[in-house]
Amino acid sequence: MAGDNNVVTYNRETEVTTTSIGSLHPLTQEKPALKWHQRHLARVILIILFAGVLAAVIAIAVLLAQLTTKVEELAAEKPTSPTEALFNTTQYSAPLKEGPFRLMPPTVVPTHYELFLHIHLPFDGADTLADKFTTKGSNVAITLKAVGDKVASITLHARHAVPTTSTSGHIKQFDKDKVTVVKKGSNPEETTAVTSVEYQTNDIVVIHLAGALVKDAEYVLKIFFDGVIGDDNTGFYYNTIVKDGKTKYLAATQFQPYRARRAFPCFDEPGFRATFSTTLKYPSRFTMTRTNGQATGAAAVDGIWLTQKHSTTPAMSVYLNAFLVSDFKELSGDDITEVLAPAGTYKVNVIGQDYLIDRGDAAFSGKLGGEMMKALSATYKQSFTAHLPKLDMAALPDKSGAMENWGLVLYGESYLMYQEKVSTADNKRGDASIIGHELAHMVFGNLVTCEWWSDTWLNEGFASYMEYQLMFKTKPSWQLVSTVIILGQFTRHFLGCRPRSSEGR
């Protein structure tokens, strides 16, 4: 009531009493009745939150149960380790059925490829080259070790069946007369006759033999084949650029995840690792060709053709192979001296369209690539000259993203070329991030490879982490640590999460 100098208060131990307002301190005047309502409101909110958390826990428990069941099903289908996957054939109770996507269990394991690729790529739109956009006249010799008992067939991949409207690369079907199997080191030469070549679904090719291979013996499987170069940016493909008002061609690769089979017959699964020696034969008008290994000696000249051999790669999965045929230009990097045994030097080179190289757009990525490789070597105590004597980073105008091929990393042009005073600081940081990501794959992805594509998140998770570590080490002035911390705090605040303890990480 207006003019009343008393206020009613509530005390848990007494009944309602009256107190003079004047007796309360002006800074502590409260309305206890309002507090009582707040307490009830808080109880209601807590009950609602508890119900929500309980519902979430129940939902997560159901999802985990379903996930556990799925994992158990998958675990029952395949071995639990890469070693078992490659060599322990007793893990599988069922024989190889028609059209499996995987070649497990293996009866033979590849150890080395000798690839000869005859590339019929026209230089420009006016080129009258015969058999355009094919690899007619190519061959591959695969050294195999028989790991199964009484092996009477060899199963591998080749993309042999495509729709008539498809423009993707593939291998034309070859018959038994194009295949030989010879026991390695035999004198006189011991040949196992090929009785037939069977083409199954899912790009599977089965080569049937007249007799069984000797267990633990090595054989050389040689296949003569003709291929088609695609134009869909996968497998071995061609693309065009406009230069001096003319349409010109280039060819490159994108074999991950399972596109190497479009370029040559192979064991196109990440669990199979082998060394590769590649020879490219291509029209002599192309001045910049690369593959994983270093060019060895001068290219042999045969009319309009050049034939260039390359050094042998370290053991790697087939998807890490790469080829580049172009008239691009190169910015050769400084010699990088290894401080780890075996001591040596290697170069990080940047390849791209000549106007970009001449303008200086490759300078930033070339220098940064060398610095990151040194940081990577120091961090993981790996001597990269023990594997390959060079690292080429090539910028392709038609490519999105990047691919970590060992010795020849292929990038989209915008991820590798940086124009001073035109490109933004964000462009520079973005380029550094992509370069660091791909170079991190030299360790996880190339040196260490997952057994199957379902584990690719391990490769990518490691590279995503290391791209920042490499930037921290090579560009401390950018103060990226502060940026990451601020972003992390913002994310936790936005999501209402508390920072986790560092224990157990």
Side-chain angles (χ1 to χ4, degrees), residues 301-373:
V301 181
D302 179 15
I304 66 167
W305 302 99
L306 293 179
T307 301
Q308 179 66 65
K309 296 182 178 180
H310 298 82
S311 62
T312 302
T313 71
M316 63 185 191
S317 299
V318 68
Y319 77 86
L320 293 171
N321 271 273
F323 325 125
L324 173 64
V325 180
S326 70
D327 68 341
F328 286 175
K329 202 169 182 178
E330 176 186 58
L331 174 66
S332 182
D334 297 331
D335 287 338
I336 298 175
T337 303
E338 287 272 356
V339 296
L340 303 171
T345 60
Y346 65 97
K347 288 181 178 292
V348 176
N349 310 306
V350 181
I351 298 168
Q353 295 192 65
D354 53 3
Y355 81 94
L356 296 173
I357 301 296
D358 293 340
R359 196 170 65 188
D361 291 8
F364 169 72
S365 56
K367 183 178 180 181
L368 181 66
E371 293 172 348
M372 285 185 166
M373 287 297 290

Side-chain angles (χ1 to χ4, degrees), residues 428-503:
K428 180 177 281 190
R429 284 192 293 267
D431 289 357
S433 173
I434 294 294
I435 293 169
H437 185 100
E438 300 309 318
L439 297 187
H441 278 305
M442 300 299 112
V443 175
F444 211 126
N446 297 8
L447 278 175
V448 181
T449 307
C450 294
E451 174 197 351
W452 189 243
W453 300 118
S454 58
D455 298 321
T456 300
W457 64 273
L458 289 170
N459 289 11
E460 298 305 324
F462 175 87
S464 296
Y465 166 75
M466 278 306 299
E467 68 186 60
Y468 287 99
Q469 291 297 316
L470 291 174
M471 285 195 290
F472 295 159
K473 293 175 184 293
T474 58
K475 295 296 179 185
S477 63
W478 289 1
Q479 299 182 352
L480 289 174
V481 174
S482 301
T483 304
V484 172
I485 291 174
I486 291 171
L487 288 174
Q489 293 291 346
F490 172 78
T491 302
R492 285 193 291 267
H493 176 76
F494 181 76
L495 296 177
C497 303
R498 292 182 178 179
R500 294 187 300 172
S501 169
S502 60
E503 295 179 3

Side-chain angles (χ1 to χ4, degrees), residues 39-55:
R39 283 195 295 270
H40 279 276
L41 180 62
R43 290 191 186 99
V44 172
I45 293 174
L46 286 173
I47 291 172
I48 294 173
L49 288 175
F50 178 77
V53 170
L54 182 62

